[in-house]
Amino acid sequence: MTELATSIFEAMWIAGILAFAISGALVGVRHNLDILGVLVVGVATGIGGGIIRDVILGVHPPVSFMVWPYWTTALVGSFVVFFIHPSLTKIRRFELVFDGFGLGIFSAYGAAIATEAGFDIMTCIFVGTIVSIGGGVIRDMLINDVPGVLTRDMYAVSAILGASVATVITRLTGDMLIASIIGGILAIALRLTSHARGWNLPKPRKVTA
Amino acid sequence: MTELATSIFEAMWIAGILAFAISGALVGVRHNLDILGVLVVGVATGIGGGIIRDVILGVHPPVSFMVWPYWTTALVGSFVVFFIHPSLTKIRRFELVFDGFGLGIFSAYGAAIATEAGFDIMTCIFVGTIVSIGGGVIRDMLINDVPGVLTRDMYAVSAILGASVATVITRLTGDMLIASIIGGILAIALRLTSHARGWNLPKPRKVTA
Amino acid sequence: MTELATSIFEAMWIAGILAFAISGALVGVRHNLDILGVLVVGVATGIGGGIIRDVILGVHPPVSFMVWPYWTTALVGSFVVFFIHPSLTKIRRFELVFDGFGLGIFSAYGAAIATEAGFDIMTCIFVGTIVSIGGGVIRDMLINDVPGVLTRDMYAVSAILGASVATVITRLTGDMLIASIIGGILAIALRLTSHARGWNLPKPRKVTA
């Protein structure tokens, strides 16, 4: 990649961390945690997916600890949310949007990085999916909710879509940046559209006795 | 091991993944998750224990991502459960049986593999136990239940029994296959019998003021 | 370090494991788990933080599995708690104190070890903090509580304080033992004092509609 492309790529990752951190901090505010609780949930949500990725791929210690702009971004984003946040009646909508952006960016970016690192197709899709849903699972489990990936409309589908598109485009063109942008936009679009339109996947038949 | 023994050994592991995936998918159906929620819980339960093992032992990336028959088995098993499953009044019994089979197979197989890899006795028993309870813990925590290992009759005892027997037999005879089969059968038998008979371990004295 | 200092340092770590194991076993007793459930929560709480540290730093398999005094301490401590524990009206106070000791020791010790291993300042503070809150998070999530780190007075602040002080002193003097003792005492003091005095951090503004 050119230097410019690398910078944009890095900025995307940081934007994803920020989006997830904001979603986590908003959840913390909604649960009326104190300031450090809000910061812990925000930072864990922002960098959690990346840490899971590094633990799985064997990058020690995780990049998120070593590269200070990552955790700083998550920390500052959470801090700002603590002081400036929407009223409780509107907060869930904001959570949804920021979570959707984090999901889209991380799924595509994670898959593109894994492809560039030479893993096979399915591993890359797995990695992108796990990176993108990992932070949200940590957030939801910390505050004792069933993770959104299990219950929300098209959540996992959006993550898999973003990761798959980014993997295929990176394979075909070698351009991680374009791959991440297209995969990310598709994932965000599917997630937010499916929520707005109430699209849902089929549920199991209820067989009673 | 002979080629035949190796094939049987591999088939056992896949049977364990399938059993756990079915147990996870059944829990998803019971909680009325949509199809992708059912698949996520099923796959996470099926391959979760193996991923925990690899993360702990430092196998990167986890074998469960790289070897496609593993995750494919978990995926197909969960998919089938979504369409074909018992009525809600009987579903818990099926969960119990499949979970018991997964528990037994994973505890013995995990301990045998670790012994073959040269770890000391206690580490092998730990690894077998963690592999076998890991998937179930992930399943139960995802849907916000207290993990069965903490509450169900003789759950952890069965896992430790299977892992211990398999470790000792592998050490003494060097035959991982026989060790896994005997350890696995004992663990499954103890788990299911203790449930059927209502065997339970002692509880703490209640000391009120 | 001299041989004596090394022994004291090792004894501190084991004291931390014991304190956390006791806190976990007490929670298990309070939730009326059976004896193996109590042991599982106790051991997981006692050695959980160390396992998280090793997984993150890439120590395979985790030291807590290989060094038998660690898990034996956690096991014996939990076993004793099962038989000898305070009445249910007083049990939460004991949980608090043992958890506080574990928190303080682990935060300082974990940070000192990481500093000695050559990681940069922020990584060391992260590691100390994660080691010290990890066991408690595992304990609380296992029994389906929102982790204390999110809700309890000055919990995370105490962990960060202990880790920061120990990191700085180890950097300046090279003496891990003194660093751990001072950092640990400060963390325990802050945690217990803030509980006793009811010190709390600010909560988010409630903005309703």
Side-chain angles (χ1 to χ4, degrees):
Chain A
M1 293 201 289
T2 65
E3 212 171 295
L4 177 63
T6 309
S7 301
I8 299 177
F9 197 60
E10 182 75 354
M12 270 182 63
W13 181 240
I14 289 181
I17 289 175
L18 182 62
F20 265 137
I22 290 174
S23 86
L26 287 168
V27 170
V29 167
R30 181 156 55 80
H31 280 75
N32 199 29
L33 303 181
D34 66 27
I35 183 166
L36 216 82
V38 170
L39 296 183
V40 169
V41 179
V43 171
T45 310
I47 69 177
I51 290 174
I52 293 176
R53 179 201 59 196
D54 292 345
V55 164
I56 284 177
L57 294 183
V59 180
H60 302 295
V63 173
S64 305
F65 289 170
M66 306 294 276
V67 183
W68 65 265
Y70 294 166
W71 58 262
T72 312
T73 300
L75 194 62
V76 171
S78 307
F79 199 77
V80 169
V81 165
F82 179 80
F83 290 104
I84 305 169
H85 57 80
S87 64
L88 291 178
T89 50
K90 292 188 197 149
I91 203 166
R92 280 177 189 273
R93 184 198 301 263
F94 280 78
E95 285 173 26
L96 172 86
V97 171
F98 283 104
D99 180 76
F101 270 82
L103 185 77
I105 294 171
F106 273 30
S107 67
Y109 181 103
I113 287 270
T115 305
E116 188 71 11
F119 294 110
D120 66 68
I121 289 191
M122 283 310 306
T123 302
C124 295
I125 296 178
F126 260 121
V127 169
T129 305
I130 283 179
V131 172
S132 64
I133 68 179
V137 168
I138 291 176
R139 177 194 61 213
D140 296 341
M141 292 183 76
L142 275 177
I143 51 112
N144 239 348
D145 270 359
V146 174
V149 63
L150 296 184
T151 55
R152 291 191 202 142
D153 16 54
M154 309 288 274
Y155 197 96
V157 179
S158 304
I160 294 170
L161 174 72
S164 304
V165 168
T167 300
V168 171
I169 296 182
T170 307
R171 284 237 161 189
L172 293 180
T173 70
D175 190 331
M176 290 202 289
L177 180 58
I178 299 296
S180 302
I181 291 174
I182 297 179
I185 288 176
L186 287 176
I188 295 168
L190 177 59
R191 176 73 186 96
L192 296 184
T193 311
S194 67
H195 178 82
R197 298 279 169 95
W199 291 347
N200 274 297
L201 291 172
K203 297 227 172 183
R205 249 172 340 121
K206 294 225 182 165
V207 193
T208 34
Chain B
M1 292 202 289
T2 66
E3 211 171 299
L4 177 64
T6 309
S7 301
I8 299 177
F9 196 60
E10 182 76 354
M12 269 183 64
W13 181 240
I14 289 181
I17 290 175
L18 182 62
F20 264 137
I22 290 174
S23 86
L26 287 168
V27 170
V29 167
R30 181 156 56 80
H31 280 76
N32 199 29
L33 302 181
D34 66 27
I35 183 165
L36 216 80
V38 170
L39 296 184
V40 168
V41 179
V43 171
T45 309
I47 69 177
I51 290 174
I52 293 176
R53 179 200 60 197
D54 292 347
V55 165
I56 284 178
L57 295 183
V59 179
H60 303 294
V63 173
S64 304
F65 289 170
M66 307 294 277
V67 183
W68 65 264
Y70 294 167
W71 58 262
T72 311
T73 300
L75 194 62
V76 171
S78 306
F79 199 78
V80 169
V81 166
F82 179 81
F83 291 105
I84 304 170
H85 57 80
S87 65
L88 291 178
T89 50
K90 291 187 198 151
I91 203 166
R92 279 175 188 273
R93 184 198 302 263
F94 280 78
E95 285 173 26
L96 172 86
V97 172
F98 283 104
D99 180 75
F101 270 82
L103 185 77
I105 295 172
F106 273 30
S107 66
Y109 181 104
I113 287 269
T115 305
E116 188 72 12
F119 293 110
D120 67 69
I121 290 192
M122 283 311 305
T123 301
C124 295
I125 296 178
F126 260 120
V127 169
T129 305
I130 282 179
V131 172
S132 64
I133 68 179
V137 169
I138 290 176
R139 177 194 61 213
D140 296 341
M141 292 183 75
L142 274 178
I143 51 113
N144 238 349
D145 271 359
V146 174
V149 63
L150 296 184
T151 56
R152 290 191 204 143
D153 16 56
M154 309 288 275
Y155 196 96
V157 179
S158 305
I160 293 170
L161 174 72
S164 304
V165 168
T167 299
V168 170
I169 297 182
T170 306
R171 283 237 160 188
L172 293 180
T173 70
D175 190 330
M176 288 202 289
L177 181 58
I178 299 295
S180 301
I181 292 174
I182 296 179
I185 289 176
L186 287 176
I188 295 169
L190 177 58
R191 174 75 185 95
L192 297 184
T193 310
S194 67
H195 178 83
R197 299 278 170 95
W199 291 347
N200 273 297
L201 290 172
K203 297 227 172 182
R205 247 171 344 119
K206 295 225 181 163
V207 193
T208 34
Chain C
M1 292 200 291
T2 65
E3 210 171 298
L4 177 64
T6 309
S7 301
I8 299 176
F9 196 60
E10 182 75 354
M12 269 182 64
W13 181 240
I14 289 181
I17 290 176
L18 182 62
F20 264 137
I22 290 174
S23 86
L26 287 169
V27 170
V29 166
R30 181 156 55 81
H31 279 77
N32 199 29
L33 303 181
D34 67 26
I35 182 165
L36 216 80
V38 170
L39 297 184
V40 169
V41 179
V43 171
T45 309
I47 68 177
I51 291 174
I52 293 176
R53 178 200 59 197
D54 291 347
V55 165
I56 284 178
L57 295 183
V59 179
H60 302 294
V63 173
S64 305
F65 289 171
M66 306 294 277
V67 183
W68 66 264
Y70 294 167
W71 58 262
T72 312
T73 299
L75 194 62
V76 171
S78 307
F79 199 78
V80 169
V81 166
F82 179 80
F83 291 104
I84 304 170
H85 57 80
S87 64
L88 291 178
T89 50
K90 292 188 198 151
I91 203 166
R92 280 177 188 273
R93 182 197 302 262
F94 281 78
E95 286 173 25
L96 172 86
V97 171
F98 283 104
D99 180 76
F101 270 82
L103 184 77
I105 295 172
F106 273 30
S107 65
Y109 181 103
I113 287 270
T115 305
E116 188 71 12
F119 294 110
D120 67 69
I121 290 190
M122 283 309 306
T123 301
C124 296
I125 296 178
F126 260 121
V127 169
T129 305
I130 283 179
V131 172
S132 64
I133 68 179
V137 169
I138 290 176
R139 177 194 61 212
D140 296 341
M141 293 184 74
L142 275 177
I143 53 112
N144 239 347
D145 270 359
V146 174
V149 64
L150 297 183
T151 55
R152 290 192 203 141
D153 17 54
M154 309 288 274
Y155 196 96
V157 179
S158 305
I160 294 170
L161 173 72
S164 304
V165 168
T167 300
V168 170
I169 297 182
T170 307
R171 284 237 160 187
L172 294 180
T173 69
D175 190 331
M176 289 201 289
L177 181 58
I178 299 297
S180 302
I181 291 174
I182 296 179
I185 288 176
L186 286 176
I188 295 169
L190 177 58
R191 174 76 186 96
L192 297 183
T193 310
S194 67
H195 178 82
R197 299 277 169 96
W199 291 346
N200 273 298
L201 291 171
K203 297 226 172 184
R205 250 173 337 123
K206 294 224 182 165
V207 192
T208 36

